[in-house]
Amino acid sequence: MQRVLVYLRPYRKWMALAWLLMLTELAIELWQPLLMGKIIDDGVMKKDATAIFTWGAVLLGASLLAFAAGIANSFAAAYVGQEYGFALRTALFAKIQSLSLARIEQLSAASLITRMTNDVTQVQNMLFMSLRIALRAPLLVVFGVGMAFVVHSRLALILAVAVPLSTAFLLWVMKKAVSSFSAVQRALDRVNGVMRENLAGMRLIKAWMRGAYEQERFAVANDALMQQTMSVLRLVETIAPGLLFVMNAAIVAVLFFGRLDVEAGTASAGQVVAVVNYATRATAALSMFTFITMALSRARASAARLAELLDEPKERSGAGGMNGLAVQRGEIRFEHVSFRYPNSEHDSLFDVSFVIRPQETAAILGATGSGKSTLLQLIPRLYEPSAGRVLIDGIDVRAFSSEQLRAAVRFVPQEVLVFSGTIADNLRFGHPRATAEEMMQAAGDAQIHETIAKFPNGYNTVVGQKGANLSGGQKQRLSIARALVGDPHILLLDDSTSALDAATEAKLLDALRQYACTTVMVTQKVSTAMAADTILLLEDGRLIGQGSHKQLLETSELYRRIVATQEGKKGQSNVTTA
């Protein structure tokens, strides 16, 4: 909890003001039963109208002051809660940006979203309640019992027994509820995960008519959340009946023994009423513990999850002490590189070694699952090798800071992502100060400028979420144009031309040769690989061949089979077309 509460420091003055207002309201509330007793004893019992109106006016004035203090306290508590939530979400988002890709994938997007939304809300609720009622309620109970002793110590002994019993019951329930609410948050993670997958894959779900299956899958996760939540609520809901039983029994006892004391002349009616009033206020305060317990239990579970995220180690930025280090030529070298994904039992890459010379175009070819995309992602250090070294210009990539490395290496992932906003916003994504001329040059080389020019608003055209109003080929070309803005030293294309026709792809590859950069592209097409200066052939995570198209035809049986297969398919396609 302490790890999460450090973000409250800028708001300490507002918190102090909120607590001061709460204490003002509390102090007035503690004096109200005494004033009521005064009205009864000096006014009602003695039939003195002046005393009734005098003390009644004092009680009314005190109540108005307590009301004003309560309203001001609520405003201050709400201000602190909202500002704190803003600061905490900002810190969490910044932390997520600083994590390594491997760690983000381990945490899962659904869990991260739940933490930044639901978990933050739970902690905010706890903070508001602590400034408004969570501290006020126990203070009202403690000082209420103390004031009851001031009024009549013998009757107050009854409350001194009932309150500790109720408190012990509350603490027992709270202890059990904390672990249960952690399970609720995990169940909520699963619900969010199913929802996220469903919304992301809605096009496929519609095309395959799998709506009923998705509903069933969601129902299972939703039912688990409901059952877990109901289990916790059943536990928490025992608080109110238990408290009311104990405290109402105490009130009955006060009334019974109070009557005896009044008859014996050792207590006045006003004193009995005052003690009963303190008892009812203590009962009301203890009843609030149902909500306080739920809020605190949820908040503690959520705070633990938030602290876990905040304490995650940041992505290693670089070795440090090498200021001014920058990619110059763009040579890429792998030295006996192996890599295994977290929680995997098998290496995705094994003892891979090769060299790609500066400004060469290299193609990575291989079957699905051979490690092509994994190899590509090691170059900008999205992942770090389990063994061996990846070097750029003879320098281990771990020596570069993340900013230095990724400013020089532009990566176009296999799953194309277009951000909400204008086309110009997307093109400036990696180079915010790019000029209109630079964007048009990059778009022209990526074979997308003419398409953009046909849109009504040109480069100011707003693209939908994930580029919903663009075709697959248009999104791929826009992603490549985005990578070209700023003239990268190394360009990485992860199967980024798969949606392009042969003529457009050929023009694109020709245009890329005009850039003074090293280009590495993953591809499934031999026709694309043939245009490269060198081809890396992967099989089951191992590099089994490197060379030009002609060299691999002479030395690699696997490459000859791939070529024969694709040429056979092309021939069949031509026959069918004819």
Side-chain angles (χ1 to χ4, degrees):
M1 184 71 78
Q2 185 63 35
R3 179 67 180 88
V4 177
L5 294 181
V6 295
Y7 297 97
L8 279 173
R9 287 174 183 168
Y11 314 108
R12 285 177 292 187
K13 291 182 179 178
W14 280 95
M15 292 174 65
L17 175 62
W19 277 322
L20 178 62
L21 292 167
M22 179 271 296
L23 291 173
T24 301
E25 183 185 19
L26 175 64
I28 295 171
E29 189 169 356
L30 288 171
W31 279 101
Q32 284 175 340
L34 291 179
L35 294 174
M36 291 179 185
K38 199 75 173 172
I39 292 171
I40 292 172
D41 287 341
D42 294 352
V44 176
M45 300 302 293
K46 296 180 180 179
K47 299 180 181 180
D48 186 346
T50 302
I52 293 174
F53 284 113
T54 301
W55 290 113
V58 173
L59 180 61
L60 179 61
S63 298
L64 289 174
L65 181 59
F67 174 76
I71 292 295
N73 169 259
S74 293
F75 279 119
Y79 173 79
V80 173
Q82 292 305 313
E83 288 287 337
Y84 171 71
F86 172 82
L88 184 55
R89 278 190 295 269
T90 300
L92 289 167
F93 191 79
K95 169 59 74 170
I96 292 171
Q97 306 311 304
S98 72
L99 299 179
S100 67
L101 180 61
R103 188 58 186 135
I104 289 175
E105 290 178 345
Q106 282 182 303
L107 290 169
S108 86
S111 177
L112 292 174
I113 291 171
T114 303
R115 295 183 201 217
M116 285 197 62
T117 53
N118 186 270
D119 285 333
V120 171
T121 299
Q122 298 301 336
V123 177
Q124 274 185 288
N125 290 341
M126 180 274 297
L127 175 61
F128 178 82
M129 293 187 73
S130 69
L131 295 174
R132 185 70 189 103
I133 61 172
L135 183 60
R136 178 175 174 272
L139 288 177
L140 179 59
V141 172
V142 172
F143 287 106
V145 173
M147 292 295 288
F149 272 98
V150 172
V151 174
H152 198 285
S153 58
R154 184 167 175 268
L155 294 177
L157 284 173
I158 299 171
L159 301 184
V161 173
V163 169
L165 287 175
S166 301
T167 303
F169 175 65
L170 275 170
L171 293 175
W172 175 77
V173 173
M174 186 182 298
K175 184 178 179 180
K176 296 194 68 175
V178 169
S179 59
S180 299
F181 276 120
S182 295
V184 170
Q185 296 302 94
R186 290 193 295 271
L188 182 59
D189 281 349
R190 289 190 289 273
V191 170
N192 285 343
V194 173
M195 289 175 60
R196 182 177 178 276
E197 289 179 1
N198 178 271
L199 295 174
M202 186 57 71
R203 183 174 299 178
L204 182 63
I205 293 167
K206 291 287 186 183
W208 286 63
M209 296 295 292
R210 296 293 283 170
Y213 168 77
E214 287 296 308
Q215 289 180 20
E216 182 179 347
R217 196 162 71 99
F218 178 79
V220 171
N222 196 29
D223 182 68
L225 174 61
M226 180 186 69
Q227 296 298 333
Q228 190 66 50
T229 304
M230 288 177 62
S231 175
V232 181
L233 290 179
R234 279 194 294 268
L235 174 65
V236 174
E237 288 301 324
T238 61
I239 294 176
L243 291 178
L244 288 174
F245 175 79
V246 174
M247 294 305 297
N248 284 335
I251 291 172
V252 170
V254 169
L255 290 171
F256 177 79
F257 290 105
R259 182 186 67 83
L260 297 179
D261 287 344
V262 170
E263 291 176 352
T266 56
S268 67
Q271 289 176 323
V272 174
V273 169
V275 173
V276 169
N277 204 286
Y278 282 123
T280 56
R281 289 170 190 265
T283 302
L286 287 170
S287 298
M288 292 180 190
F289 275 70
T290 303
F291 306 103
I292 295 172
T293 301
M294 288 182 63
L296 183 58
S297 300
R298 284 178 178 265
R300 287 183 61 183
S302 293
R305 286 159 51 88
L306 296 177
E308 178 189 17
L309 178 56
L310 289 168
D311 289 334
E312 286 286 343
K314 294 182 179 181
E315 180 182 24
R316 195 178 62 82
S317 179
M322 303 185 73
N323 294 330
L325 195 63
V327 175
Q328 299 292 337
R329 298 180 299 122
E331 180 193 75
I332 301 170
R333 183 185 297 269
F334 275 49
E335 293 183 348
H336 305 289
V337 171
S338 297
F339 176 76
R340 177 178 297 184
Y341 284 100
N343 303 323
S344 175
E345 297 180 356
H346 305 287
D347 285 341
S348 297
L349 293 175
F350 181 77
D351 197 26
V352 174
S353 298
F354 64 83
V355 178
I356 301 174
R357 292 190 292 272
Q359 299 184 29
E360 272 191 340
T361 297
I364 305 176
L365 196 65
T368 300
S370 59
K372 304 185 298 297
S373 296
T374 300
L375 186 151
L376 209 64
Q377 293 179 85
L378 294 179
I379 298 172
R381 213 175 71 230
L382 296 177
Y383 296 98
E384 295 195 9
S386 307
R389 296 195 302 165
V390 178
L391 302 99
I392 294 179
D393 293 343
I395 303 170
D396 194 315
V397 294
R398 286 171 286 202
F400 294 94
S401 71
S402 301
E403 293 77 12
Q404 291 167 333
L405 179 62
R406 293 167 191 169
V409 180
R410 290 302 185 201
F411 176 59
V412 182
Q414 187 174 23
E415 183 179 348
V416 177
L417 179 60
V418 178
F419 295 95
S420 299
T422 65
I423 290 175
D425 291 336
N426 275 274
L427 292 175
R428 288 195 179 101
F429 182 73
H431 197 62
R433 297 180 181 177
T435 64
E437 291 74 17
E438 289 174 323
M439 289 191 294
M440 286 190 284
Q441 178 65 47
D445 293 334
Q447 311 303 307
I448 189 68
H449 172 70
E450 291 183 4
T451 302
I452 296 173
K454 293 178 182 177
F455 292 144
N457 296 315
Y459 283 80
N460 291 319
T461 299
V462 176
V463 295
Q465 189 177 24
K466 291 188 176 182
N469 52 342
L470 300 176
S471 69
Q474 288 171 342
K475 285 190 285 189
Q476 282 192 337
R477 284 176 284 159
L478 183 59
S479 297
I480 294 171
R482 179 170 58 196
L484 294 177
V485 173
D487 294 330
H489 288 80
I490 296 175
L491 179 64
L492 308 177
L493 306 175
D494 190 357
D495 204 13
S496 302
T497 61
S498 58
L500 306 185
D501 60 80
T504 302
E505 183 183 42
K507 291 178 183 178
L508 170 62
L509 296 178
D510 286 341
L512 292 182
R513 290 188 176 276
Q514 307 305 312
Y515 285 77
C517 71
T518 305
T519 302
V520 185
M521 54 185 180
V522 168
T523 182
Q524 299 282 1
K525 297 182 287 188
V526 171
S527 59
T528 303
M530 288 171 59
D533 299 308
T534 185
I535 302 171
L536 305 177
L537 188 61
L538 292 179
E539 183 177 35
D540 296 330
R542 298 174 183 268
L543 181 65
I544 62 171
Q546 179 180 6
S548 65
H549 172 68
K550 182 178 179 181
Q551 290 171 333
L552 288 178
L553 280 176
E554 295 173 352
T555 59
S556 174
E557 174 63 29
L558 174 61
Y559 188 74
R560 286 195 292 270
R561 288 202 307 269
I562 294 173
V563 172
T565 299
Q566 294 196 16
E567 285 184 347
K569 289 182 178 178
K570 182 179 179 181
Q572 291 176 6
S573 177
N574 291 338
V575 170
T576 303
T577 303

